[in-house]
Amino acid sequence: MGGSSGSDALRDHRRAASEQKKDDVGQALLALSARGTAITISSVAREAGVSREFIHSHPHLHAAVQEAARKARDLWNRDQALATTASARAASADRLTLVSEIQRLRGRLKEQQRCIDELRAQRRRWLGAQFPDLGHVDPAVHAELRSANERLMSEKAGLTNTITDLRRTISALDYDLAAAREALTQELAERDRKRLTPVSLTDE
């Protein structure tokens, strides 16, 4: 009787220890999932303080690890897709901002050029009106024309400098836009590569 009781007690102890290990595996899966840590047979066994063989020897535990790993992989892929979409939207917004700024500056450039052309036309009209008789030039009119010409030339020089600055700014923005497009292309290609070749999350 004593030997039988001892065997029963040992079996009960082993059964209780096994159940505790199973609970520990379940808790390990919850902990790894909460931390976002890669779920593998090894990582679960290490977290639970059990051997890999223990998990392999219990089909329902092995299946639970595989299911948790699949969910983690799906979540990782979803996060990557969301990150790629968010990055693409942000880059698209940046490109739209750059394009809008370039268009605005080009509009200013055209307006400044139109002002220069108008000043040139005014100068020609002024000179034509003030010199109907090329054989006689009034000194007072000549002095007034000289002053007007100097004013127009000063305005033209200022507009020309503005146009030069605008062109330089547009050139820099065009360069930034091209660099942003190249960086986005490389980032999306890298994200696609990682998404299409996910790291294995289970080790059999």
Side-chain angles (χ1 to χ4, degrees):
M1 293 293 293
S4 177
S5 297
S7 298
D8 291 340
L10 181 58
R11 280 195 301 270
D12 290 342
H13 174 75
R14 288 176 176 174
R15 185 180 301 111
S18 179
E19 291 300 321
Q20 181 61 52
K21 289 181 179 180
K22 292 176 184 178
D23 290 341
D24 291 341
V25 169
Q27 291 299 318
L29 285 174
L30 292 176
L32 293 174
S33 297
R35 294 201 301 265
T37 307
I39 296 177
T40 67
I41 299 295
S42 294
S43 65
V44 173
R46 184 167 49 252
E47 180 76 15
V50 301
S51 67
R52 296 173 68 248
E53 290 72 17
F54 179 81
I55 295 176
H56 282 295
S57 65
H58 292 80
H60 70 286
L61 293 180
H62 188 269
V65 173
Q66 288 184 320
E67 177 63 16
R70 183 190 64 77
K71 290 181 178 179
R73 180 169 58 249
D74 291 344
L75 181 61
W76 183 86
N77 287 334
R78 187 193 67 181
D79 289 344
Q80 289 297 306
L82 290 175
T84 298
T85 300
S87 178
R89 287 177 178 173
S92 178
D94 289 342
R95 288 202 308 273
L96 287 176
T97 300
L98 285 174
V99 169
S100 177
E101 181 66 10
I102 290 173
Q103 290 176 341
R104 185 184 69 81
L105 290 176
R106 282 176 175 164
R108 284 188 58 193
L109 184 62
K110 290 181 180 180
E111 179 64 21
Q112 297 293 336
Q113 187 62 55
R114 187 192 65 77
C115 290
I116 289 179
D117 293 340
E118 179 62 25
L119 287 173
R120 288 172 176 169
Q122 289 179 10
R123 183 184 178 192
R124 286 194 297 268
R125 289 195 298 270
W126 181 278
L127 290 174
Q130 296 301 323
F131 290 100
D133 182 6
L134 296 179
H136 174 72
V137 178
D138 189 327
V141 172
H142 182 268
E144 183 179 353
L145 286 174
R146 181 188 296 275
S147 176
N149 181 65
E150 291 176 352
R151 177 180 59 81
L152 291 174
M153 292 301 293
S154 177
E155 292 179 3
K156 176 185 175 182
L159 290 172
T160 299
N161 289 336
T162 299
I163 288 176
T164 299
D165 291 339
L166 288 173
R167 285 174 174 165
R168 186 180 298 112
T169 301
I170 289 174
S171 178
L173 289 174
D174 281 334
Y175 177 84
D176 290 342
L177 180 59
R181 285 172 174 165
E182 177 64 21
L184 177 61
T185 298
Q186 293 178 358
E187 181 179 350
L188 292 179
E190 179 65 15
R191 289 184 180 274
D192 286 342
R193 184 187 66 79
K194 290 181 178 179
R195 182 160 53 86
L196 292 174
T197 57
V199 177
S200 176
L201 297 178
T202 60
D203 54 337
E204 298 298 328

